[in-house]
Amino acid sequence: MDRNTLLLFAGIGAVLLLASLVGFILKRRAGDTPNSVIDNLNARINAWWVMVLVIGTAFLFGNTGVIVLFYGVSFYALREFMTLTPTRRSDYPALVAAFYFALPVQYLLIGIDWYGMFSIFIPVYLFLLLPILASLGGDTTRFLERASKVQWGLMIAVYCISAVPALLTLDIPGYEGRNLLLIAWLVIVVQLSDVLQYVCGKLAGKHKIAPLLSPSKTVEGFVGGVALATLVGALLCWITPFSFWQAAALALLVNLLGFAGGLVMSAIKRDRGVKDWGHMIEGHGGMLDRLDSVCFAAPIFFHVVRYWWA
Amino acid sequence: MLASFVAFAITSAARLLTGARALWLGCTAQPVQRLYYANHSSHGDFVLLWASLPDELRRTTRPVAGADYWQKGGLRSFLINQVFNGVLVDRDRSSPEHNPLQPMLDALGQGDSLIIFPEGTRNLGDDPLLPFKSGLYHLAKANPQVEVIPVWIANLNRVMPKGRALPLPLLCTLSFGAPLERLADEDKAAFLERARNALLALAPEEA
């Protein structure tokens, strides 16, 4: 790891340490009375420690480590998506293709840096292959709906998430060998935006933005969270190839997309009648609950950076 | 030694593949003698149910399986006898004077818990649950001290559809319901109907 990366992780460690301290003091003050908000906060902070440790370990192994990490992330996200949106018996070949073909091949294509293929592999080739496989079973019940579910799951859980490690393939003049930091910047800004929206909402939230979709999202939380995360993104411009104002504009872009991602993914959850996508991360729900904003921000960020900087 | 290693490998693999999550909704995971009955859609059903029990309970909980499938010798016999400590039943009733429930009654008499699938065979259709065979009624009636617990296994039919070799890594949950109430003077049909409804009540809504 170079000096900037170490500095960055030290900074994240300091923020988490502060958060843990605050959580500890709140818990002490609450005493014996059980408080679900404080308990959830502490569960979230602990989960953040684990997540930062996992990402840090992947960074130690360089590009390969990050690609393997996001392969795992996509796998868990895809499994949550397919579990929550049931398919029928004759979708089996399509699901096998999704888990055992599309997922590894997409990450392999990113690993070998074949942009022309990994950018269209799922949206074009799998878009055609999956319904072909599904039709072989001869079951026409809700065919269009089933075909869309598998395709959508692949787009969200594999294509969109794989845009994060795909940032490693970009050749940005003057930024050689530092692409890992670009990933760190994107993940920090988008996740921080989620956290700050939550915090601002809890402190000052009054007006609900979309009560039917997500009762906890408020105008105050949205404005405060996005503004603060955009500011942090701009202040972190020293780890990116962007100038201060470019970093601010890109941070605003990914924050708005991240917010929209949260709304869309929560619409799917409401439709299926559940609160969380899964149960793998204590205090956060499932993998997709943590990554809904990244899913929407990453592919657009990738293409914008590729178009203007690479 | 080998058997317990294989058991560990199988339960770990089952949990890893399906993220098997046990929801103890109507009872807790206590070492009480029980008759777990579940829906049956895949060969992996009893493995997953067995794997989702805490170690302590698993040691005394025995799956009931069809002798015709498992007693074919070799690996299958080793698995069902040594690893799962299963109770084999003669589904074909090869000798008419022999009571097919006897091995299960013996196991319950020894104080073991059982895992049974009252549909009698794997459900491969679109109906959530086939009609129950009468074994559950007779076992419950002969052993009033044993808790009868419905367990709904969700999603496993998608992990391992019939005739497919490669399992899909989807998440499965097992919902453990409340013990069936014992009513005096209830006839067979009424009991089975009540047991069936208790199990269906644990099933998540379908899409």
Side-chain angles (χ1 to χ4, degrees):
Chain A
M1 280 196 204
D2 67 355
R3 226 179 111 254
N4 280 346
T5 317
L6 283 176
L7 214 60
L8 195 65
F9 273 97
I12 296 169
V15 171
L16 280 178
L17 214 55
L18 183 70
S20 291
L21 192 69
V22 170
F24 179 74
I25 292 171
L26 284 174
K27 181 84 193 152
R28 276 281 290 273
R29 271 222 213 128
D32 292 333
T33 47
N35 185 320
S36 62
V37 176
I38 294 177
D39 288 341
N40 180 259
L41 180 74
N42 282 322
R44 277 174 185 246
I45 294 169
N46 292 339
W48 273 118
W49 276 110
V50 176
M51 287 188 267
V52 168
L53 278 175
V54 170
I55 295 174
T57 313
F59 267 49
L60 278 180
F61 289 93
N63 289 10
T64 314
V66 169
I67 290 176
V68 170
L69 172 70
F70 278 92
Y71 176 95
V73 168
S74 273
F75 169 80
Y76 283 110
L78 184 64
R79 152 203 279 234
E80 282 171 8
F81 194 100
M82 293 308 172
T83 300
L84 204 61
T85 57
T87 47
R88 287 170 63 84
R89 200 177 294 280
S90 53
D91 286 320
Y92 176 82
L95 288 170
V96 167
F99 279 105
Y100 298 115
F101 174 65
L103 173 61
V105 170
Q106 174 72 4
Y107 280 87
L108 191 73
L109 292 170
I110 288 171
I112 63 170
D113 197 354
W114 187 1
Y115 172 76
M117 197 58 180
F118 77 63
S119 60
I120 59 165
F121 176 61
I122 289 173
V124 177
Y125 287 90
L126 267 293
F127 177 76
L128 298 174
L129 176 69
L130 293 173
I132 294 173
L133 290 175
S135 68
L136 293 179
D139 180 0
T140 57
T141 313
R142 291 181 296 192
F143 187 83
L144 184 58
E145 188 186 321
R146 283 159 43 211
S148 337
K149 278 177 185 170
V150 184
Q151 178 63 17
W152 235 77
L154 266 185
M155 283 302 289
I156 288 291
V158 183
Y159 186 78
C160 292
I161 291 177
S162 77
V164 179
L167 289 166
L168 294 171
T169 66
L170 296 178
D171 291 318
I172 302 167
Y175 195 67
E176 288 82 8
R178 302 178 64 205
N179 287 29
L180 278 174
L181 284 171
L182 202 56
I183 291 184
W185 183 85
L186 174 68
V187 173
I188 290 171
V189 171
V190 174
Q191 296 293 357
L192 205 58
S193 168
D194 282 358
V195 173
L196 291 170
Q197 283 177 41
Y198 170 84
V199 172
C200 293
K202 279 268 179 270
L203 293 178
K206 286 203 178 59
H207 306 87
K208 295 193 167 151
I209 286 188
L212 288 178
L213 288 182
S214 182
S216 60
K217 284 193 166 57
T218 60
V219 178
E220 293 80 0
F222 167 67
V223 173
V226 168
L228 287 171
T230 301
L231 179 68
V232 173
L235 291 173
L236 281 175
C237 65
W238 52 278
I239 63 166
T240 69
F242 321 128
S243 71
F244 180 86
W245 289 109
Q246 287 170 338
L250 283 170
L252 182 63
L253 174 74
V254 296
N255 285 337
L256 292 177
L257 282 163
F259 174 79
L263 281 185
V264 171
M265 298 300 275
S266 118
I268 299 177
K269 286 189 283 186
R270 299 281 139 184
D271 180 30
R272 300 290 313 124
V274 297
K275 203 179 132 287
D276 291 323
W277 283 97
H279 308 271
M280 68 179 292
I281 315 173
E282 173 81 24
H284 291 265
M287 186 63 87
L288 276 173
D289 293 291
R290 192 60 277 128
L291 281 182
D292 47 9
S293 43
V294 175
C295 291
F296 276 61
I300 307 291
F301 179 70
F302 173 81
H303 287 286
V304 168
V305 175
R306 186 174 185 279
Y307 191 79
W308 273 292
W309 277 271
Chain B
M1 181 63 197
L2 176 66
S4 54
F5 176 75
V6 173
F8 175 76
I10 290 177
T11 49
S12 308
R15 279 188 232 154
L16 206 65
L17 181 76
T18 65
R21 209 160 58 94
L23 304 175
W24 295 88
L25 303 173
C27 58
T28 52
Q30 279 171 341
V32 181
Q33 194 183 11
R34 281 171 173 167
L35 189 56
Y36 298 101
Y37 71 98
N39 55 318
H40 195 17
S41 56
S42 149
H43 279 307
D45 281 329
F46 81 74
V47 179
L48 199 66
L49 208 171
W50 195 69
S52 74
L53 295 173
D55 284 338
E56 186 190 7
L57 272 64
R58 197 183 311 134
R59 272 195 286 278
T60 55
T61 304
R62 305 173 63 185
V64 175
D68 47 297
Y69 179 82
W70 289 98
Q71 207 60 292
K72 287 210 173 109
L75 184 64
R76 281 186 200 175
S77 289
F78 169 73
L79 287 175
I80 201 68
N81 292 317
Q82 305 296 315
V83 177
F84 300 119
N85 191 18
V87 176
L88 291 176
V89 289
D90 177 12
R91 280 190 294 195
D92 309 329
R93 305 206 67 166
S94 35
S95 52
E97 70 280 7
H98 178 70
N99 178 6
L101 291 179
Q102 199 54 50
M104 296 184 249
L105 291 167
D106 293 345
L108 288 172
Q110 287 168 26
D112 290 336
S113 294
L114 293 181
I115 298 171
I116 74 164
F117 298 99
E119 293 167 276
T121 184
R122 279 181 296 152
N123 177 4
L124 304 169
D126 278 339
D127 288 337
L129 210 49
L130 301 173
F132 279 10
K133 306 240 185 260
S134 57
L136 183 68
Y137 168 75
H138 295 299
L139 292 174
K141 197 175 173 212
N143 294 275
Q145 83 286 1
V146 176
E147 284 190 355
V148 181
I149 309 270
V151 186
W152 185 268
I153 304 174
N155 232 4
L156 194 59
N157 51 337
R158 295 175 63 208
V159 171
M160 278 279 240
K162 186 196 159 104
R164 310 287 199 181
L166 197 61
L168 290 170
L170 298 167
L171 297 165
C172 296
T173 44
L174 296 101
S175 307
F176 291 77
L180 273 193
E181 232 183 298
R182 301 311 181 91
L183 306 177
D185 307 326
E186 190 177 27
D187 69 10
K188 190 169 84 179
F191 174 84
L192 290 175
E193 182 62 20
R194 198 156 60 84
R196 198 168 172 273
N197 289 335
L199 183 53
L200 273 175
L202 294 169
E205 273 178 62
E206 264 308 303

